[in-house]
């Protein structure tokens, strides 16, 4: 990927950019290369800025003074406005700064200047990325809420985004929208159940919608549904049988998501752990280890297996396996190591 990011004109191939976005925390080692695409002589690589926008909430990374300056410099460059009506580069740079927790006052000031200029809200992809920043965008939540009056589709995408940024702003929906959501939740996909559950509105239609989505074939729809159901915990317990069947899905990512979801809605991880641990042991990835870690204390029983597997794996993989083991249960990992040394 580092080689792919050294292509002429500072551009990254579509496939390489797609892979970078999938890396999660592992992408942190690529951030210096991405920052380098922000040319200091006046040419802004929109693609690099977009990559940073997506990756910032997913990684732990300490920005250098030079990297912060590169983002701040974008505030002063004159460019034509985007399709939405605001300066895309200024907004993205400000959001990234808030994500890294640096120069927050300047970033908020720029966002308060730019966001009200929008003639329409950005499309769903951008709102989903903003939602990933959570409470870090809370200082500009009122400006985002104002977009709902300019939006198509009753502003539901804006309200959903705000659930993650400042839930207190979404205490009630505009007159008529709640009725629309209850009458035809399928019209809005899974966003309708999300909003209705947040507002504590009883709606069996939404559970029916979830049940139908769990029968969908495309794996990306299953992932979306499983990740969403996970948030509702025991409220979704009636759907446990449908979730459990996906522990045998052909796609490993779906099996991992089903394992976390099932543990969340049933409060028990006994059925999830063997499936998830087998994936970690045979096809280890950072994502697989992180999903296992998300089971919380219930995953402690996997620590001996993780530590033993690390003994048989090469350098970086072994290091990651041990890190997950210590994150899950530090004491159990130390005890395993001490037991090995005694032998």
């Amino acid at each position: 990927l580092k080689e792919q990011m050294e292509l002429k004109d500072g551009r990254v191939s579509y496939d390489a950019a797609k892979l970078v976005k999938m890396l999660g925390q592992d992408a942190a080692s690529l951030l210096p290369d991405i920052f380098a695409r922000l040319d200091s002589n006046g040419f802004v690589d929109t693609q690099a800025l977009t990559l940073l926008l997506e990756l910032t909430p997913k990684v732990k990374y300490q920005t250098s003074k030079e990297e912060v300056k590169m983002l701040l410099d974008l505030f002063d460059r004159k460019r034509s406005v985007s399709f939405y009506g605001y300066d895309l580069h200024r907004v993205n740079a400000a959001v990234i700064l808030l994500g890294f927790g640096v120069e927050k006052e300047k970033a908020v000031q720029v966002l308060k200047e730019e966001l009200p200029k929008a003639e329409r809200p950005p499309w769903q992809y951008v709102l989903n990325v903003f939602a990933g920043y959570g409470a870090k965008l809370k200082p500009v939540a009122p400006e985002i809420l104002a977009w709902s009056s300019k939006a198509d589709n009753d502003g539901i995408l804006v309200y959903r985004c705000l659930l993650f940024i400042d839930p207190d702003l979404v205490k009630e929906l505009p007159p008529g929208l709640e009725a629309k959501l209850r009458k035809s939740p399928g019209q809005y996909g899974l966003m309708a159940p999300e909003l209705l559950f947040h507002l504590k509105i009883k709606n069996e239609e939404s559970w029916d919608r979830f049940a139908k989505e769990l029968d969908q074939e495309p794996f990306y729809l299953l992932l979306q549904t499983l990740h969403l159901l996970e948030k509702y915990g025991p409220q979704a317990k009636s759907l446990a049988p449908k979730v459990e069947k996906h522990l045998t899905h052909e796609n490993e990512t779906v099996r991992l998501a089903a394992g976390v979801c099932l543990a969340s809605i049933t409060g028990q991880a006994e059925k999830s752990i063997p499936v998830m641990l087998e994936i970690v042991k045979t096809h280890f990835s950072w994502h697989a280890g992180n999903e296992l870690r998300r089971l919380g204390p219930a995953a402690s029983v996997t620590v001996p297996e993780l530590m033993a597997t690390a003994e048989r794996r090469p350098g970086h993989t072994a290091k990651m396996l041990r890190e997950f083991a210590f994150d899950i249960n530090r004491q159990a990992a130390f005890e395993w190591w001490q037991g090995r040394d005694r032998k």
Side-chain angles (χ1 to χ4, degrees):
L1 285 172
K2 283 180 178 289
E3 292 176 0
Q4 286 288 312
M5 298 182 74
E6 293 173 359
L7 298 177
K8 62 179 182 179
D9 301 325
R11 306 299 295 179
V12 181
S13 71
Y14 172 80
D15 288 336
K18 186 176 179 181
L19 284 170
V20 169
K21 296 173 187 178
M22 295 170 63
L23 284 177
Q25 173 58 31
D26 286 344
S29 62
L30 291 171
L31 289 195
D33 300 86
I34 298 174
F35 269 108
R37 305 279 78 78
L38 298 179
D39 190 276
S40 60
N41 295 320
F43 174 71
V44 178
D45 191 328
T46 304
Q47 181 193 47
L49 200 60
T50 302
L51 283 174
L52 287 172
L53 183 70
E54 286 200 48
L55 292 174
T56 297
K58 301 176 183 177
V59 302
K60 294 179 180 178
Y61 181 79
Q62 184 65 47
T63 52
S64 67
K65 292 182 179 179
E66 293 76 16
E67 290 167 343
V68 172
K69 184 178 183 301
M70 293 173 77
L71 292 169
L72 290 174
D73 286 346
L74 299 179
F75 290 168
D76 300 323
R77 296 181 185 170
K78 298 296 182 181
R79 287 168 301 273
S80 58
V81 297
S82 68
F83 171 78
Y84 309 117
Y86 58 67
D87 187 320
L88 187 66
H89 296 84
R90 294 189 84 210
V91 168
N92 287 356
V95 172
I96 292 167
L97 287 168
L98 287 178
F100 285 126
V102 294
E103 298 290 353
K104 292 188 282 189
E105 289 186 8
K106 292 180 180 178
V108 169
Q109 180 181 349
V110 166
L111 289 174
K112 286 185 175 293
E113 291 173 4
E114 292 292 336
L115 297 186
K117 297 177 183 178
E119 298 174 0
R120 62 186 67 80
W123 54 303
Q124 184 174 353
Y125 153 75
V126 177
L127 290 172
N128 287 345
V129 173
F130 280 11
Y133 283 77
K136 291 182 178 180
L137 293 186
K138 191 172 181 177
V140 293
E143 283 74 20
I144 295 175
L145 177 62
W147 284 349
S148 61
S149 62
K150 306 175 183 179
D152 298 327
N153 208 7
D154 302 305
I156 190 170
L157 295 174
V158 176
Y159 291 118
R160 179 186 175 278
C161 175
L162 285 168
L163 288 182
F164 300 91
I165 295 173
D166 188 358
D168 290 339
L169 280 182
V170 195
K171 292 182 177 179
E172 59 182 23
L173 298 173
L177 180 54
E178 179 185 328
K180 287 183 180 180
L181 294 178
R182 292 173 62 89
K183 184 177 180 180
S184 55
Q187 178 184 351
Y188 302 95
L190 295 177
M191 293 178 290
E194 241 178 331
L195 281 171
L196 292 172
F197 287 136
H198 171 73
L199 296 170
K200 297 180 173 59
I201 299 172
K202 187 176 180 180
N203 56 110
E204 294 304 321
E205 307 97 323
S206 292
W207 293 120
D208 293 340
R209 174 69 177 173
F210 278 128
K212 291 177 182 177
E213 293 291 339
L214 286 171
D215 290 331
Q216 295 295 313
E217 195 59 35
F219 79 92
Y220 58 87
L221 291 178
L222 284 176
L223 285 176
Q224 182 185 22
T225 307
L226 291 167
H227 290 156
L228 191 51
L229 275 177
E230 176 194 335
K231 302 174 185 176
Y232 301 117
Q235 292 184 74
K237 193 173 183 179
S238 63
L239 295 175
K242 283 184 172 289
V243 173
E244 184 177 341
K245 78 174 186 177
H246 292 302
L247 289 177
T248 58
H249 195 278
E250 63 181 12
N251 184 285
E252 288 185 352
T253 306
V254 172
R255 296 204 298 275
L256 290 167
V260 178
C261 181
L262 185 65
S264 175
I265 65 180
T266 64
Q268 299 176 338
E270 289 82 357
K271 294 180 179 179
S272 302
I273 285 176
V275 175
M276 301 176 71
L277 182 59
E278 182 63 21
I279 295 173
V280 170
K281 290 167 60 179
T282 57
H283 298 100
F284 178 73
S285 66
W286 183 89
H287 176 70
N290 189 57
E291 290 292 83
L292 187 63
R293 178 172 56 184
R294 293 206 301 122
L295 292 179
S300 294
V301 297
T302 69
V303 168
E305 288 273 15
L306 293 176
M307 295 294 287
T309 303
E311 298 289 296
R312 304 188 295 270
R313 302 302 286 272
H316 183 61
T317 300
K319 177 178 180 289
M320 292 174 67
L321 282 163
R322 292 189 185 102
E323 286 179 352
F324 281 121
F326 274 82
D327 282 349
I328 291 170
N329 190 319
R330 188 174 186 83
Q331 183 61 36
F334 267 122
E335 289 175 357
W336 185 93
W337 231 335
Q338 290 167 351
R340 182 203 63 174
D341 291 344
R342 283 195 297 269
K343 292 179 182 178

